[in-house]
Amino acid sequence: MLRFDHPLSERVRSLIRIEHLFNRFNHTTASDDKWSHHVALSSLFEIMECSSRAELKLDILQELERQRQAGRNQNHHELLERLNQAAQDLQDVQQKFGQHIRENEWLMALKQRIVVAGGTTPVELPSYYFWQKKTAEQRRSDLQRWSQIMMPTYRATNVLLEILRENQTFIECCAKNGTYEHNTLPHNTHLMTIEVPFEANVLPEVSANKYFTHVRFVQANQESMRGKPVEQRIDFKIIMCSFDAINK
């Protein structure tokens, strides 16, 4: 099965972006290969850009506090402990997100060159070539040091998305001629996920708000950004997730 997320708020969209980038960073950092560590560095720069919005930290802290109140009301002690820890760790970070990277001249030079075609070759950046020749453990230690101050944001994001995805309801659907319409979503749905069999070879195009949901399936292909609309029946599932309750 494939799951396609459709955030219904910019806050959830930002959380999913952060989760995706940190997952990529962690996966590539765990490798010993120097090219994986190149991707890890690129991911670190993307995380810095994605999370630099001043309101993001406040948004996360506000949602953590809402969930802490819900946890107290429903006596979810284990989850409440995780929420408290996530909030405290995030509040302890006093500097602007990614400020330590901005203050590192070498990293900022690399950030500027990494998006240029061929910009990180030994000819262009001999100091980066030297870094890549270090042992895997030395490179990994650097990557972990550079990302350490960002990890509270990652852990807080993980807790919130876990709550969001666990508090879900779903409906089994059938798209006749590749199209499906639904009149209403449950109150305060923050994330809608389309689950469809991989074998169907389709991608969902979703238009949704609290009054109306429209799903159209198109063919998956790697020749154009948008495939042709499909006309056959597609059986799929709509999963609706909300922050507004914690079901345990």
Side-chain angles (χ1 to χ4, degrees):
M1 286 290 184
L2 292 177
R3 286 192 170 189
F4 297 92
D5 286 339
H6 182 79
L8 298 180
S9 71
E10 195 58 35
R11 176 182 294 186
V12 173
R13 186 178 297 275
S14 294
L15 293 178
I16 291 175
R17 284 174 176 166
I18 293 169
E19 176 192 51
H20 173 81
L21 291 171
F22 269 110
N23 286 345
R24 190 172 73 192
F25 173 81
N26 291 335
H27 179 81
T28 50
T29 298
S31 172
D32 290 341
D33 181 67
K34 69 176 183 179
W35 300 118
S36 293
H37 290 174
H38 177 85
V39 175
L41 269 172
S42 179
S43 300
L44 196 64
F45 297 142
E46 287 189 64
I47 290 168
M48 185 183 78
E49 293 297 328
C50 182
S51 307
S52 61
R53 184 170 59 88
E55 303 83 24
L56 179 64
K57 180 178 179 180
L58 180 60
D59 286 347
I60 293 176
L61 286 171
Q62 287 177 341
E63 192 58 52
L64 286 170
E65 181 57 31
R66 285 207 324 125
Q67 295 304 324
R68 288 163 70 185
Q69 293 297 328
R72 292 190 191 100
N73 294 338
Q74 299 183 34
N75 295 317
H76 296 311
H77 301 296
E78 182 179 348
L79 179 58
L80 185 58
E81 185 175 324
R82 293 179 62 200
L83 288 165
N84 288 337
Q85 188 64 56
Q88 185 60 57
D89 290 347
L90 193 56
Q91 287 174 331
D92 287 345
V93 179
Q94 297 300 316
Q95 64 178 244
K96 182 179 179 181
F97 192 91
Q99 185 62 32
H100 64 296
I101 293 179
R102 293 181 179 88
E103 294 174 352
N104 185 312
E105 183 180 343
W106 185 81
L107 284 174
M108 289 307 293
L110 177 58
K111 179 178 181 294
Q112 291 176 351
R113 299 299 301 174
I114 208 167
V115 295
V116 177
T120 57
T121 64
V123 173
E124 302 290 341
L125 283 180
S127 65
Y128 184 53
Y129 170 73
F130 176 84
W131 182 80
Q132 288 185 307
K133 286 298 183 180
K134 288 185 175 184
T135 67
E137 280 304 318
Q138 288 173 318
R139 293 195 306 269
R140 186 177 297 109
S141 177
D142 286 339
L143 289 166
Q144 291 171 343
R145 174 166 54 89
W146 294 327
S147 65
Q148 183 178 8
I149 202 168
M150 296 176 166
M151 285 302 168
T153 299
Y154 174 57
R155 290 191 287 270
T157 296
N158 269 1
V159 172
L160 290 178
L161 287 178
E162 181 180 319
I163 292 170
L164 176 64
R165 288 166 176 151
E166 286 185 358
N167 183 38
Q168 63 175 240
T169 184
F170 68 89
I171 53 175
E172 301 283 354
C173 306
C174 172
K176 298 179 179 178
N177 299 320
T179 300
Y180 176 84
E181 293 183 354
H182 188 73
N183 288 335
T184 59
L185 291 175
H187 182 60
N188 286 339
T189 299
H190 298 104
L191 173 67
M192 186 170 69
T193 299
I194 306 296
E195 185 179 271
V196 62
F198 177 81
E199 296 76 17
N201 195 41
V202 296
L203 307 175
E205 293 184 341
V206 181
S207 175
N209 55 45
K210 62 182 179 180
Y211 303 111
F212 184 76
T213 301
H214 179 85
V215 181
R216 167 182 281 183
F217 289 97
V218 299
Q219 295 175 352
N221 74 83
Q222 283 68 56
E223 300 298 327
S224 63
M225 286 300 297
R226 186 178 185 276
K228 296 180 180 179
V230 301
E231 297 182 357
Q232 71 267 27
R233 167 188 172 129
I234 303 291
D235 293 312
F236 68 104
K237 182 186 295 185
I238 294 180
I239 303 169
M240 294 154 287
C241 307
S242 175
F243 281 124
D244 290 330
I246 304 175
N247 296 328
K248 296 289 180 182

